Amino acid sequence: MIPHNPKRWSSAAARRLRQLAGNASSVDAAVLQIVEQLLKGVVCPPTDLDAILPRLQVVEHEARDDLAASGALIRVGDKFKIVYSTLLPKSRKRWTIAHELGHALFETTGRSPPRRGRELERLCDMIAAELLLPRALFTSRIQENVSLNQILKLADVFQTSVSATAIRCAELCGVSVFETEVGNLRWGYGVVRKSSHLASLGELAVVVRSALDSEQGSEEVDLQVGNHRRRCLVEWKRVGSERRRIFMVRHAP
C-alpha cells in the first residue's frame, strides 16, 4: 500500500476519477463516493470481493505461478480477468484483487483509459483501501485510543495485512506507524517516513534499537513534531520474523 499525498494530484487518472464522481471536490471525495456505490449490498467485513467483480466487468480471478508481478488485469473479450501470484498470502491476495479492481474501474470510464503511471497506482491503492477497509465501517470499530493490539484484531476481522490496516489507522486516526527490520526502516506513515533517518529522531531511535530485545512493549518519549516537542506513546510488537517490529506513535494521554 502506497501512502498518498492528498495535496498534489496532476495526472489524467486523477482528473478521470473526479469526473467519474461528478467532478468531485477532491480525489479523496471521488474515491469515497465511487467505492460507496460499488459496496452497496456487499457483505463486509470482510469485504466480499467476488460480489464486486461483475460490477466492474470482471469475470473471475485466478492464481498463476508464472507472474513476474504480484497481480495483473487481463482483457478477455469485452470483459476482464484478474490474475495474481500463487506465492501471495491470503491478505496480500485480497489486496491485489482489490487493487486490480481499481484498474478495472478505470477501464470502464470511456475511451483511452489511463493504464500507467505512479499516480494511477496510488489511486488504485486508495480504491483498494476503501474497498477492503471502508472508512465509515472501519472507524466505527476503532476505540478512542487505538493500540497495536487493536490493529492486529482489525486486520483479522477485515482480512487485511497488518501493514495495510496500520496505515489505514494512520490515515483516519492521526497516529503514526512504521515497521523496521533489524532497526532499519521498511516503510512508514506519519512522523516517520521511509526516507527518515532514525538517528535524527532522538529518543525514538533509542526505542527502536531497544525494541529488538523484546517481543512487544511501550514507552513514552519526547518527540519533535513539526515545530513542537510532544510527549508521545510509542508501542511496538514483533510481526513475522524475529527481526521485524511494527511501531505505532500517538500523543501520550
Side-chain angles (χ1 to χ4, degrees):
M1 178 178 185
I2 308 171
H4 68 280
N5 181 345
K7 296 180 181 179
R8 298 178 182 176
W9 294 101
S10 59
S11 65
R15 292 192 294 274
R16 181 74 67 99
L17 195 71
R18 289 180 61 190
Q19 290 169 359
L20 185 62
N23 292 317
S25 58
S26 68
V27 164
D28 286 305
V31 170
L32 190 62
Q33 179 181 323
I34 291 166
V35 175
E36 194 173 65
Q37 291 298 314
L38 287 174
L39 288 176
K40 279 191 174 178
V42 174
V43 174
C44 182
T47 302
D48 181 3
L49 293 174
D50 287 344
I52 301 172
L53 299 184
R55 301 181 183 189
L56 293 172
Q57 301 178 30
V58 178
V59 292
E60 63 177 335
H61 57 78
E62 67 175 16
R64 294 259 293 265
D65 57 11
D66 59 346
L67 289 180
S70 58
L73 182 71
I74 299 174
R75 181 173 286 276
V76 182
D78 60 349
K79 297 189 183 298
F80 302 93
K81 175 169 69 173
I82 293 171
V83 294
Y84 51 87
S85 171
T86 55
L87 301 176
L88 298 181
K90 182 177 181 179
S91 61
R92 179 69 188 195
K93 165 190 159 183
R94 285 175 53 78
W95 179 268
T96 300
I97 292 171
H99 177 95
E100 296 304 329
L101 283 172
H103 283 287
L105 172 70
F106 280 100
E107 291 292 328
T108 68
T109 60
R111 296 180 60 184
S112 303
R115 290 175 177 150
R116 294 180 182 83
R118 179 176 172 80
E119 283 200 3
L120 174 63
E121 296 304 319
R122 287 160 66 192
L123 291 168
C124 289
D125 268 351
M126 290 172 66
I127 291 167
E130 195 63 45
L131 284 170
L132 294 172
L133 301 157
R135 185 170 312 195
L137 182 60
F138 187 70
T139 53
S140 72
R141 292 176 176 243
I142 297 175
Q143 297 171 1
E144 183 177 355
N145 291 319
V146 62
S147 67
L148 274 182
N149 282 335
Q150 189 181 9
I151 288 174
L152 294 174
K153 289 177 182 177
L154 288 168
D156 185 56
V157 169
F158 285 86
Q159 292 186 13
T160 48
S161 69
V162 173
S163 59
T165 310
I167 290 172
R168 192 63 165 160
C169 277
E171 289 176 337
L172 301 178
C173 303
V175 298
S176 297
V177 292
F178 62 97
E179 186 178 317
T180 64
E181 186 166 15
V182 200
N184 297 314
L185 277 171
R186 299 185 78 238
W187 56 264
Y189 188 99
V191 295
V192 179
R193 301 282 183 169
K194 188 177 180 180
S195 59
S196 299
H197 296 288
L198 284 176
S200 67
L201 296 176
E203 291 184 42
L204 185 56
V206 177
V207 173
V208 169
R209 287 193 292 268
S210 65
L212 285 172
D213 297 326
S214 58
E215 294 277 313
Q216 64 182 71
S218 63
E219 189 171 330
E220 288 190 13
V221 300
D222 288 320
L223 188 63
Q224 188 74 27
V225 181
N227 296 323
H228 305 281
R229 288 193 69 79
R230 298 185 182 276
R231 194 67 176 169
C232 295
L233 177 67
V234 182
E235 288 186 71
W236 68 86
K237 195 176 185 71
R238 193 187 98 176
V239 288
S241 74
E242 178 66 34
R243 301 183 295 176
R244 287 172 55 194
R245 300 289 185 276
I246 187 169
F247 294 80
M248 186 186 71
V249 182
R250 61 179 172 85
H251 293 164

